[in-house]
Amino acid sequence: MSPKPMVRPGGRSARVQESVHAAVRELQAELGREALTVPLVAARAGVTPSTVYRRWGDLQELLSDVAVEHLRPDTPPADLGSLRADLGAWAEQFLDEMASPPGRAYIRDALLGDPDGSNAGQCSAYAADQIGVVLARAGARGEAAPDAERVIDQVVAPMMYRVLFRPGPLDAAYARALVEHALTES
């Protein structure tokens, strides 16, 4: 198993990571996931296959790394003025992204190439960080708020269970109901 960096690398390493990740995304869009091979990705990225194998180990670990990076939020949660509004909007967006076909594929890839659980932990940390921002805002406004673990257990966990194991229609009303339950139980 190859070591996976927990922080974004700098310099040449960052350029290699970005070019390989970009190659994966481009080739997936052009050819589909099933057609990807390490030599094909390496050629598109302008690196040798041994560079990819040395850094990621195999194609599944590379796809997992790309998926985790894709699942990283790129903006803070919306500030709508209240805990209920902020957490509800965040939960709706989270569910919408995770339940979409690309979201489900990224989740599967993140978990399949994750023998030690570090990618799952990183994805969980992304959600916890976003929830932490919402809860800190609520605290600064003087609102009573549950702790982050409660929100993860009562909002994120049921959504992820349904996304992964009971795929079916999941909508904003479901996300809002989970939030309402978490907030009224606190």
Side-chain angles (χ1 to χ4, degrees), residues 10-24:
R12 181 181 184 282
S13 185
R15 288 189 302 273
V16 167
Q17 178 177 330
E18 180 50 40
S19 67
V20 171
H21 279 212
V24 168

Side-chain angles (χ1 to χ4, degrees), residues 89-101:
W90 178 84
E92 281 185 40
Q93 180 180 1
F94 181 82
L95 181 60
D96 186 51
E97 290 173 6
M98 296 300 123
S100 70

Side-chain angles (χ1 to χ4, degrees), residues 54-166:
R54 189 171 37 257
R55 177 150 183 166
W56 287 279
D58 62 22
L59 181 62
Q60 190 56 60
E61 285 189 44
L62 170 59
L63 293 174
S64 183
D65 192 47
V66 170
V68 169
E69 189 61 29
H70 178 81
L71 293 170
R72 175 192 308 266
D74 50 1
T75 60
D79 185 350
L80 302 173
S82 74
L83 173 60
R84 185 166 267 103
D86 291 357
L87 192 56
W90 178 84
E92 281 185 40
Q93 180 180 1
F94 181 82
L95 181 60
D96 186 51
E97 290 173 6
M98 296 300 123
S100 70
R104 290 176 199 259
Y106 280 121
I107 292 166
R108 281 192 304 273
D109 281 343
L111 298 176
L112 284 172
D114 189 26
D116 64 0
S118 62
N119 287 346
Q122 188 61 53
C123 291
S124 177
Y126 295 156
D129 289 348
Q130 294 270 296
I131 291 165
V133 168
V134 169
L135 297 178
R137 284 182 192 151
R141 290 188 294 255
E143 294 178 90
D147 67 20
E149 287 302 311
R150 178 184 188 88
V151 175
I152 289 169
D153 289 345
Q154 294 188 352
V155 178
V156 177
M159 285 194 283
M160 291 306 293
Y161 180 84
R162 289 195 173 260
V163 165
L164 291 171
F165 300 113
R166 297 198 46 122

Side-chain angles (χ1 to χ4, degrees), residues 29-41:
E30 292 170 21
L31 307 173
R33 186 180 179 283
E34 298 74 29
L36 294 181
T37 65
V38 169
L40 187 62
V41 169

